[in-house]
Amino acid sequence: MSESYPEPVSPLMGASSEGALTVREAGPTGMIALRGDLSDPAFTGPVAALAGCPLPTVWQARGGDGRTLLWMAPDELLLLLPYAEARQAAPRLQAELDGRAVHALVQDVSDMRVRLLLTGPQMREALARLTPVDMSPAMLAPGSLRRTRIAQTAAAIRVISEEEAEVLCFRSVADYAFRLLGGAARNAPDFGYF
């Protein structure tokens, strides 16, 4: 007998804000938090197999085919994957690591965070108004990420391309973060500082 689960409810119901930039909620995304020894092949092998890509280096993201692996800390990764897959993938991976006697934590955190996408040529200027991170291309090239804050809330910023970035924050502050980003995007400066 298979379990049935209710459809996920997006915290912002697919909200979008148009201005000098577009800010939109990415919708339900599978997210698996992974804690372990990133130098141990017994841990990294199964993780890379599930992600379908090699592990990212420090402050980087790697991925493709609907899966992205983010370096979050010296012992932590975050795997983004289709929402429907996370619920089964997390316990399977934990069981595999337990079977190898690997000390690790694998947790489905899909309903804990929200992804907000910023698109437009002044994406860096808008984010620089809200975060202490150096948003210059030399410090935060495409494929890079930083754990930081936007205004008063914890966030991770990943630069996808020169005109696209994503902000990951806790679901409980999704509306606050969306309004901050929307305001910065609507009032983005008309100069190219970066």
Side-chain angles (χ1 to χ4, degrees):
M1 178 177 186
S2 68
E3 294 182 58
S4 71
Y5 298 100
E7 287 296 313
V9 177
S10 155
L12 299 173
M13 307 302 272
S16 181
S17 174
E18 298 289 333
L21 303 174
T22 299
V23 180
R24 67 180 175 82
E25 180 191 20
T29 302
M31 298 185 200
I32 299 176
L34 306 152
R35 302 292 297 258
D37 182 351
L38 302 186
S39 66
D40 181 0
F43 174 72
T44 61
V47 169
L50 175 61
C53 65
L55 268 61
T57 55
V58 175
W59 296 124
Q60 297 296 307
R62 286 206 175 139
D65 296 328
R67 293 172 188 262
T68 304
L69 199 52
L70 310 173
W71 186 95
M72 300 298 278
D75 67 343
E76 182 180 0
L77 301 167
L78 181 66
L79 175 60
L80 307 179
L81 69 166
Y83 185 89
E85 295 179 30
R87 185 161 288 163
Q88 286 78 35
R92 272 197 321 264
L93 179 59
Q94 183 71 66
E96 181 179 352
L97 294 170
D98 290 347
R100 294 173 174 226
V102 174
H103 180 71
L105 172 70
V106 180
Q107 187 68 47
D108 177 5
V109 295
S110 303
D111 296 324
M112 191 169 103
R113 293 187 177 106
V114 65
R115 293 174 53 226
L116 303 171
L117 300 173
L118 281 79
T119 308
Q122 293 174 320
M123 167 272 295
R124 290 179 188 276
E125 283 81 3
L127 283 170
R129 299 174 77 191
L130 300 172
T131 181
V133 170
D134 182 349
M135 291 301 302
S136 68
M139 294 305 293
L140 207 57
S144 299
L145 73 102
R146 292 293 183 276
R147 286 182 83 165
T148 183
R149 61 182 173 82
I150 54 169
Q152 299 300 314
T153 190
I157 299 171
R158 176 173 69 115
V159 176
I160 298 168
S161 71
E162 284 305 325
E163 294 193 2
E164 186 175 19
E166 93 179 326
V167 173
L168 291 97
C169 62
F170 289 112
R171 182 183 181 102
S172 60
V173 295
D175 184 61
Y176 171 72
F178 179 78
R179 289 174 188 269
L180 281 173
L181 294 167
R186 276 190 304 281
N187 302 308
D190 60 0
F191 58 85
Y193 184 77
F194 295 109

